Amino acid sequence: MDDRLVERNDSRDASASLDVAALRLGISGLRLGHPLIFFPAIGSTNTYLMGLARAGAAEGAVVTTDDQTAGRGRMGRVWKALPGQQLILSLLLRPSFPPHFLMMASALAVAEAIEREAPLTAALKWPNDVLVNGRKVCGILLEASEGAVVIGVGLNVNGSLADDAELASRATTLADECGAAISREALAITLLARLDARYHTLQAEGLAGRQAIHAAWRARLVTLGQRVIIHQRASQPTAEAEESAPPTTLTGLATGVDADGALILLTDDGQRQTITWGDVE
Ligand code: BTN
């Protein structure tokens, strides 16, 4: 058997606590991931880490947990907890470039970690959802304040969403897709390693680095060439750009993305619109 997989009902199956010592060892050579702060349970890793950021914490700090009891999603949504089964992780960075490139880098890093640690293929849905077999396995929430950016990753690893019919129609877990439990520690190590490398590229290589990340991100976007409905709701608690926008629904063809990652939409009434935020259906 592929040693990346862990049989269901194995001792490392869904309800096991994260092996923090193994995780710390696995990321010891990385620039990012220090300190690594673990809570058995916490409200929101993003909220906690943003508090540390405001108090002056250095970039690279990571907060992770087994059970996120008040997880927040994009556009004011709740992020459902699967205690002991998800990879819940927030990372603090202080980038010298526009934060939307971190949206691309983090989605790419998650997709690459999934493909490295599970026998699955990952795709990206604009702006930064990660899909497996057409359903969402990971959401990413980027929050920025005074030069600090917190990247929050919620990845459905083990367990199943089958008991939640509404959610299961559009979301899934890695274990449900490949029929075996996956190591959350291995996923976290690979994810942080990929993000470490991408972040270095963005910090060190200027425009060429941004173009490389953009090209890799764009190549994985399944949204392009699709007819889409874009939902933009009024309740935008975090991202500054979203706060004042009125609720809108736009329908059209997703024809491309611009250099900053905004979606280019050819609307049904023939207009070309540049979409910087929203949910794609
Ligand atoms: C979305 O798809 O709406 C984004 C979901 C982001 C969830 C993660 S889990 C870790 C971090 N902490 C939070 O409260 N949210 C993010």
Side-chain angles (χ1 to χ4, degrees):
M1 190 180 105
D2 188 327
D3 63 7
R4 296 171 304 180
L5 305 184
V6 181
E7 293 277 15
R8 283 189 190 282
N9 304 321
D10 182 281
S11 60
R12 286 177 290 170
D13 197 7
S15 58
S17 180
L18 198 67
D19 185 342
V20 182
L23 181 48
R24 287 209 173 99
L25 189 62
I27 63 169
S28 56
L30 301 183
R31 287 167 287 233
L32 303 180
H34 320 290
L36 185 134
I37 303 165
F38 170 77
F39 294 98
I42 188 174
S44 160
T45 54
N46 259 39
T47 304
Y48 183 84
L49 189 52
M50 191 50 94
L52 293 188
R54 292 200 176 103
E59 73 169 2
V62 165
V63 178
T64 185
T65 185
D66 274 330
D67 185 8
Q68 186 174 241
T69 56
R72 296 183 291 104
R74 291 175 54 242
M75 308 214 300
R77 284 183 305 243
V78 168
W79 181 255
K80 181 185 166 100
L82 296 173
Q85 299 167 327
Q86 293 166 315
L87 178 60
I88 298 292
L89 182 148
S90 296
L91 167 67
L92 170 61
L93 295 174
R94 297 185 181 277
S96 60
F97 51 83
H100 49 263
F101 289 99
L102 285 177
M103 179 263 297
M104 302 175 199
S106 49
L108 269 174
V110 171
E112 291 166 348
I114 290 170
E115 293 184 353
R116 168 92 191 264
E117 304 303 336
L120 294 168
T121 300
L124 303 183
K125 181 175 129 184
W126 187 91
N128 56 2
D129 285 349
V130 184
L131 312 182
V132 169
N133 298 328
R135 284 186 293 169
K136 178 167 172 171
V137 291
C138 179
I140 300 170
L141 179 65
L142 246 77
E143 298 183 293
S145 175
E146 297 165 13
V149 177
V150 170
I151 302 171
V153 175
L155 175 56
N156 297 331
V157 181
N158 295 319
S160 176
L161 299 176
D163 62 353
D164 185 336
E166 196 276 319
L167 189 56
S169 66
R170 56 194 159 79
T172 186
T173 67
L174 299 183
D176 264 352
E177 294 308 305
C178 70
I182 303 296
S183 162
R184 291 187 297 151
E185 294 80 6
L187 280 164
I189 292 164
T190 304
L191 166 55
L192 287 170
R194 296 295 165 126
L195 206 39
D196 189 286
R198 299 279 190 200
Y199 185 55
H200 185 69
T201 300
L202 285 166
Q203 289 283 63
E205 294 178 22
L207 180 62
R210 294 198 289 277
Q211 287 173 337
I213 301 290
H214 184 283
W217 170 74
R218 187 189 185 288
R220 281 187 184 264
L221 276 182
V222 288
T223 314
L224 304 186
Q226 305 251 345
R227 280 195 55 74
V228 295
I229 305 171
I230 312 279
H231 298 283
Q232 296 179 323
R233 294 179 192 90
S235 140
Q236 304 301 323
T238 53
E240 286 154 26
E242 299 176 4
E243 257 167 11
S244 57
T248 325
T249 298
L250 292 162
T251 311
L253 183 68
T255 58
V257 279
D258 73 8
D260 290 324
L263 191 68
I264 309 298
L265 186 73
L266 183 61
T267 63
D268 288 346
D269 56 3
Q271 292 179 38
R272 184 180 183 277
Q273 296 232 14
T274 302
I275 311 291
T276 56
W277 65 279
D279 261 345
V280 171
E281 188 183 322

